[in-house]
Amino acid sequence: MFGYIKPEKAELKIKEYETYKAVYCTVCKTLGKEYGIFSRFLLTYDAAFYVLVLKCLLQDGCDRAERGVCRFNPFKKCFYIPADSILRQSAALTVIMFYYKVRDGLRDSGNFRKFLYYLLYPYISFKFKKAVKNYSYFDDIIKLSVERQTEAESDFECSVDRACDPSASALAEIFSYGIQDEEVKRILSRIGYCVGRWVYLADAFDDLEKDVKNGNFNPFAIKYGLDRNNISDITDDVYDGIAAALRLSANEAAGAFDLAKHKSYASVCENIIYDGTEAQLNRLINKKRCSKHNG
């Protein structure tokens, strides 16, 4: 996951935002407790979303938050919820995913970024081994996804659907792993798949111009026949077509979520799935149009 799945703060009530922040800060605290203080820098919005969705479908009510002190800013007060298995899973998943991001960066990044990843690799490799010790199933899922992703992206005629399926399928397995209730398992799997697809497409959209310019793989470049010689063909029509694909995935995630018998955190999850994805998409579109206008 890439940090795109976040709430739309303007649409949240104050109490709902405080609830979200309590979960977000507790994921950060759990990362620090399980993998050391520097692992807190790996925190993403996506990790908090994972916790919220699982708790929403599996818990009877919201956790009781208690006031505490932020480790990074002792003058700042935070709210934390009790640590549990879902939070520890989220922390492990964050470490494992970042490990594969560093490995990918070592292979594909430019010299400067590759040097940074080279410096990070010994640290994240050590933390990765600790995470895999108790959560090897996450590693198995992600490792297979990376292999399938590499295979798909080596095909210069790869479709958008094929390109995003490895990431989407991995998130479907991650969200539903170990769930005993078959109905809840199917719903979590579908939410994970649709959100995973949305995140992959959002990342591809965000990187479109850069990928076209550098000749990197991008499923939208293939779909719209784009290369560095016709980069000016990235028009508003292209943006509209990509936006439609993203909205379809978001709507399908929302449809799956609506099937659940929500037990807790429903309003916050709804905000992220319904409002957050649309707000993020609009920010991407506006950023690109402003860049094109100023360029």
Side-chain angles (χ1 to χ4, degrees):
M1 297 188 276
F2 300 84
Y4 293 107
I5 302 296
K6 60 177 70 174
E8 178 59 6
K9 184 179 177 180
E11 299 296 328
L12 283 173
K13 297 177 182 178
I14 294 176
K15 183 178 180 179
E16 292 170 338
Y17 183 66
E18 292 299 328
T19 296
Y20 177 81
K21 285 288 292 179
V23 172
Y24 184 82
C25 290
T26 307
V27 175
C28 179
K29 181 179 180 181
T30 306
L31 274 165
K33 182 178 180 180
E34 296 289 319
Y35 301 101
I37 189 168
F38 292 112
S39 67
R40 291 171 179 251
F41 289 104
L42 308 182
L43 178 66
T44 66
Y45 294 106
D46 305 328
F49 176 71
Y50 170 79
V51 172
L52 283 163
V53 170
L54 262 64
K55 284 181 172 289
C56 183
L57 271 68
L58 299 176
Q59 286 189 187
D60 290 329
C62 294
D63 298 283
R64 182 176 179 179
E66 296 184 358
R67 186 182 292 270
V69 177
C70 176
R71 282 292 182 91
F72 287 115
N73 184 356
F75 299 102
K76 180 182 178 182
K77 298 295 183 181
C78 296
F79 283 95
Y80 298 106
I81 62 174
D84 60 17
S85 60
I86 294 176
L87 284 155
R88 288 189 288 272
Q89 285 176 191
S90 178
L93 185 58
T94 299
V95 169
I96 293 170
M97 283 189 161
F98 189 76
Y99 169 80
Y100 281 99
K101 181 178 180 179
V102 169
R103 279 187 44 177
D104 184 63
L106 286 171
R107 186 178 67 250
D108 296 334
S109 297
N111 289 336
F112 178 71
R113 290 182 66 86
K114 185 175 290 187
F115 176 70
L116 293 179
Y117 284 128
Y118 179 78
L119 293 177
L120 281 170
Y121 185 76
Y123 171 80
I124 195 60
S125 180
F126 177 72
K127 300 302 179 182
F128 167 79
K129 291 176 182 177
K130 181 178 179 181
V132 169
K133 186 175 182 180
N134 294 318
Y135 302 94
S136 61
Y137 49 87
F138 283 155
D139 180 44
D140 293 338
I141 293 169
I142 297 170
K143 185 187 299 181
L144 178 60
S145 173
V146 170
E147 292 172 358
R148 292 185 60 220
Q149 197 72 61
T150 301
E151 181 182 351
E153 294 183 0
S154 65
D155 180 1
F156 292 102
E157 296 182 354
C158 182
S159 68
V160 173
D161 286 341
R162 185 187 174 198
C164 62
D165 184 71
S167 295
S169 296
L171 215 58
E173 288 191 61
I174 287 168
F175 269 61
S176 60
Y177 185 86
I179 306 301
Q180 300 301 314
D181 186 305
E182 286 300 320
E183 181 181 0
V184 173
K185 185 182 181 74
R186 285 194 299 270
I187 292 171
L188 284 171
S189 177
R190 186 60 181 167
I191 293 172
Y193 187 91
C194 296
V195 169
R197 177 185 170 89
W198 189 94
V199 169
Y200 182 89
L201 295 180
D203 188 58
F205 185 27
D206 199 6
D207 291 342
L208 179 58
E209 286 81 2
K210 181 181 71 175
D211 287 341
V212 171
K213 182 179 179 180
N214 296 331
N216 298 331
F217 175 87
N218 191 296
F220 294 126
I222 295 173
K223 179 176 180 177
Y224 293 101
L226 302 168
D227 59 42
R228 64 188 64 177
N229 297 316
N230 64 354
I231 195 169
S232 61
D233 288 348
I234 305 178
T235 62
D236 285 348
D237 288 339
V238 172
Y239 292 160
D240 290 342
I242 294 173
L246 278 156
R247 288 189 174 109
L248 177 61
S249 293
N251 289 340
E252 289 185 356
F257 185 76
D258 287 342
L259 295 174
K261 299 169 183 172
H262 309 308
K263 298 179 179 179
S264 59
Y265 296 103
S267 60
V268 180
C269 291
E270 287 171 353
N271 173 276
I272 297 171
I273 296 172
Y274 303 157
D275 301 319
T277 54
E278 181 64 18
Q280 281 292 96
L281 174 57
N282 287 329
R283 290 187 189 105
L284 286 173
I285 294 172
N286 291 336
K287 180 180 75 172
K288 288 175 177 294
R289 286 178 173 162
C290 287
S291 177
K292 182 181 291 187
H293 177 74
N294 294 332

